[in-house]
Amino acid sequence: MKPFSFDAQINTTMADGAYQIFQIAQFTMPFYGDMVYVGSIKIQMNAPGIQAPEWIRVHESSTPAPTIKSEAGWRSAGGASFPTSHVPLLASWVGVAAGATVTVNASINNGTGGISIGVYNAPGIMYCFKT
Amino acid sequence: MSIPAPDGTLNQLHLDLALPLTVPYVFYDGSAATVIPTTSTATWPMMQFRMPFYGDVVFQGWVQMQTSPGVQQVDTAIDARSTPAPTTNPYTTWRTEGGPGQTVLVVPVMANWVNVQPGTLVDIILYINNGSGGPSLQLGRTFCVAYCTKT
């Protein structure tokens, strides 16, 4: 097993209704095998209000395409507060070729008609297993 | 190790010379000793073990914390004073601007070590900086796992 750790600094703002894809990891697979990614992405509301970003996940545009990817939604109904959250990101791959360039993308859909959100860093670890 | 797939089947993965070590949680009892005052820094033990063989270590954990009402900015990391010194220790900055509410957050922390000798005491220390002038910070639980791999 060989792990790779990442801490992608995204530091951007997503407008109300926006959908974006972010690169959160990239490395070269050291041997033939399977992979599991465990990470998270930090988001924050930019103003008080009701907010429900959806489909926060490792995106299928990742290369190679993940076999399994989690999907998490985040809902916050704020009064005067600006909630911050670390949303988990999970994905797995099987049968990845040695020497393959692995690129992991995450997507966020802020399309539910709330307010803008800040998107910050995405720490995570990719565990590579020989099979 | 196996992980469940959405359809209920299992993806079987094979550990290759890897030893996972887990600590389900370390519970802080909510006493004054687990409160970090405004503009203060603190360190806490998060995991400690002896390296079973020559190799590398990767650590992944999470820290639960809660603010009092107010504006709060906290830097959280694996402390560079952990032994042996970590090769990488990306940190997470957490900022919340609360009015009347109290915010609870689970913050990720990570670190790597390479070429650790067998028998070495690996002492992983958590660092928190509540230094931006917000309210006090209450620590909750920690959740973590360390993987040791032969190299």
Side-chain angles (χ1 to χ4, degrees):
Chain A
M1 190 273 281
K2 182 171 180 56
F4 294 90
S5 64
F6 308 94
D7 191 19
Q9 302 295 312
I10 298 169
N11 298 328
T12 190
T13 298
M14 289 181 64
D16 175 20
Y19 177 85
Q20 279 187 258
I21 297 172
F22 307 101
Q23 180 176 312
I24 57 173
Q26 188 171 62
F27 67 100
T28 301
M29 183 66 169
F31 41 67
Y32 178 86
D34 299 344
M35 309 186 303
V36 175
Y37 179 83
V38 183
S40 60
I41 191 165
K42 188 178 84 164
I43 55 180
Q44 178 178 298
M45 294 169 65
N46 283 335
I50 298 175
Q51 183 75 305
E54 296 176 344
W55 309 119
I56 299 172
R57 68 189 187 197
V58 171
H59 194 255
E60 52 267 28
S61 63
S62 303
T63 56
T67 307
I68 297 172
K69 56 186 186 300
S70 66
E71 295 175 335
W74 171 51
R75 179 176 177 85
S76 177
S81 61
F82 292 8
T84 304
S85 183
H86 291 271
V87 179
L89 293 170
L90 304 173
S92 67
W93 293 255
V94 295
V96 180
T101 298
V102 178
T103 302
V104 183
N105 295 329
S107 62
I108 297 176
N109 180 4
N110 191 24
T112 55
I115 51 183
S116 67
I117 59 173
V119 182
Y120 299 94
N121 64 319
I125 296 175
M126 182 72 87
Y127 298 95
C128 303
F129 301 89
K130 287 182 179 175
T131 55
Chain B
M1 182 179 69
S2 59
I3 57 174
D7 61 0
T9 61
L10 292 176
N11 265 6
Q12 186 67 43
L13 301 177
H14 306 282
L15 293 175
D16 179 25
L17 298 175
L19 177 63
L21 305 167
T22 62
V23 176
Y25 63 84
V26 177
F27 180 66
Y28 295 112
D29 59 7
S31 67
T34 62
V35 173
I36 302 175
T38 297
T39 67
S40 296
T41 62
T43 57
W44 300 87
M46 201 163 182
M47 179 183 257
Q48 193 177 74
F49 62 92
R50 289 197 179 275
M51 187 67 178
F53 40 66
Y54 180 84
D56 299 343
V57 178
V58 62
F59 171 85
Q60 190 167 26
W62 295 264
V63 186
Q64 179 195 18
M65 55 183 72
Q66 176 176 302
T67 68
S68 300
V71 178
Q72 184 90 332
Q73 183 162 344
V74 181
D75 291 339
T76 307
I78 295 302
D79 195 289
R81 288 166 288 185
S82 300
T83 56
T87 305
T88 61
N89 55 336
Y91 71 91
T92 302
T93 297
W94 165 48
R95 180 179 176 85
T96 180
E97 300 184 36
Q102 289 182 302
T103 302
V104 177
L105 190 66
V106 179
V107 179
V109 287
M110 307 184 311
N112 292 352
W113 290 259
V114 297
N115 299 333
V116 180
Q117 296 291 335
T120 300
L121 180 65
V122 179
D123 187 10
I124 303 174
I125 299 171
L126 172 69
Y127 168 83
I128 297 179
N129 179 2
N130 187 21
S132 62
S136 62
L137 184 71
Q138 173 70 62
L139 291 188
R141 300 184 178 194
T142 64
F143 309 82
C144 49
V145 60
Y147 290 92
C148 306
T149 57
K150 286 183 179 177
T151 53

